[in-house]
């Protein structure tokens, strides 16, 4: 007789390959990729990072990261995620979502939205301690 561990959490969620990742790696502009693949967490994360790196205001960064975050939630749910549980950084296709979440946390903090900063920071840490360390560890 086998036993089920009722105290175990949900299994890790592994998102499918994001076609935007290859296009971005080849040097395509994030805005062009977003136009073609608006559901792509990788594309929105790249667009938010580009905006940040080019000195865009925090509200713009917040908007790009929020869109990417919400598109990511849709993808997570379609991949079996039930609103909690691990989303490992080690699984490369998860990184678009995790980057959007970290960028949203940082932008929320920058515009003074402390409860959102704390919620997103904690969500990232709970989803993937490795992503938290890589993306917010020094924040």
């Amino acid at each position: 007789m086998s036993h089920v561990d009722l105290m175990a959490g949900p299994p890790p969620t592994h998102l499918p390959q994001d076609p935007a990742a290859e296009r971005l790696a080849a040097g395509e502009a994030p805005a062009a990729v977003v136009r073609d693949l608006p559901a792509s967490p990788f594309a929105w994360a790249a667009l938010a990072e580009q905006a940040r790196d080019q000195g865009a205001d925090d509200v713009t960064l917040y908007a790009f990261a929020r869109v990417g975050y919400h598109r990511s939630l849709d993808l997570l749910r379609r991949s079996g995620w039930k609103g909690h549980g691990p989303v490992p950084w080690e699984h490369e296709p998860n990184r678009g979502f995790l980057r959007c979440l970290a960028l949203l946390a940082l932008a929320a903090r920058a515009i003074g939205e402390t409860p959102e900063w704390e919620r997103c920071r904690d969500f990232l840490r709970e989803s993937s301690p490795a992503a938290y360390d890589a993306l917010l560890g020094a924040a």
Side-chain angles (χ1 to χ4, degrees), residues 70-118:
H70 280 286
R71 298 312 295 256
S72 296
L73 292 178
D74 295 340
L75 186 57
L76 283 163
R77 288 182 190 109
R78 285 194 305 272
S79 297
W81 185 74
K82 303 291 186 213
H84 66 285
V87 183
W89 174 254
E90 296 77 12
H91 181 67
E92 195 82 24
N94 289 348
R95 291 187 179 187
F97 158 66
L98 296 165
R99 288 168 41 217
C100 284
L101 182 55
L103 290 159
L104 181 57
L106 293 169
R109 183 176 67 180
I111 66 171
E113 194 177 355
T114 302
E116 181 75 350
W117 149 250
E118 292 170 348

